[in-house]
Amino acid sequence: MLNQRLRQGWNGLMRPIGRGLGRAGLSPDAMTLIGVAISGGVAVLIVQGRLLAAGFVAIAAAFADTFDGAIARATGRTSKFGALLDSTTDRLADALYLVPVAWLYGVDPDIAERNEPWVAAVALTALVLSFMVSYVKARAEGLGFDCNVGFGERAERLIIVIAGLILDLVPAAMVLLAAVSLITFLQRIFHVRAQAESA
């Protein structure tokens, strides 16, 4: 949902960075895997209750996720496998953020104030809904439908998670994330249904 001009400006900003990383010998796939490793660090920090640090490391992971595409575009090393790897690791990164939140609030809270199992339940609900948001788009496009719609795409959902970690507002962030993911899922379902009916 981020403004298309903003995306174009961001891609322009990333182009020289992509060229530089490409010259340094980094491949898009290697950058993708580095991003996953950084997301693993986020997971460890969340489980430890170090939410502020987790939020800032998650920002680094988000940049790594952007850099792989920048390298691919700048070096011309785009591939179908790279696109598959990127999409798959995005889902893995989502799990690496939300499953640890569920663990921290529902299984092993570091402080008494985080002993809130309902937050764990909402986090897991948000995880399932975020997976469904991505699946609907992938499946719809595989069937030949346009599904480039949605109130909360991955960028928006990631911003919600990072803000919740940095501001120590994880319960509110999980509720918002679940709501945004549900709305986006329904938007995409109805959008595709309208196309199917018109066809």
Side-chain angles (χ1 to χ4, degrees), residues 98-175:
L98 298 180
V99 172
V101 166
W103 180 271
L104 180 64
Y105 282 81
V107 178
D108 188 23
D110 61 327
I111 56 176
E113 289 77 8
R114 292 197 179 114
N115 186 16
E116 297 182 291
W118 71 269
V119 177
V122 174
L124 294 177
T125 300
L127 178 61
V128 172
L129 288 170
S130 69
F131 281 177
M132 293 306 297
V133 166
S134 300
Y135 176 78
V136 168
K137 181 175 183 178
R139 182 61 175 148
E141 291 178 346
L143 292 170
F145 295 110
D146 167 68
C147 197
N148 193 27
V149 297
F151 178 75
E153 296 182 336
R154 186 165 190 268
E156 288 83 0
R157 299 196 307 271
L158 190 56
I159 288 170
I160 291 171
V161 172
I162 291 173
L165 292 171
I166 291 176
L167 300 175
D168 197 5
L169 295 173
V170 171
M174 293 301 102
V175 171

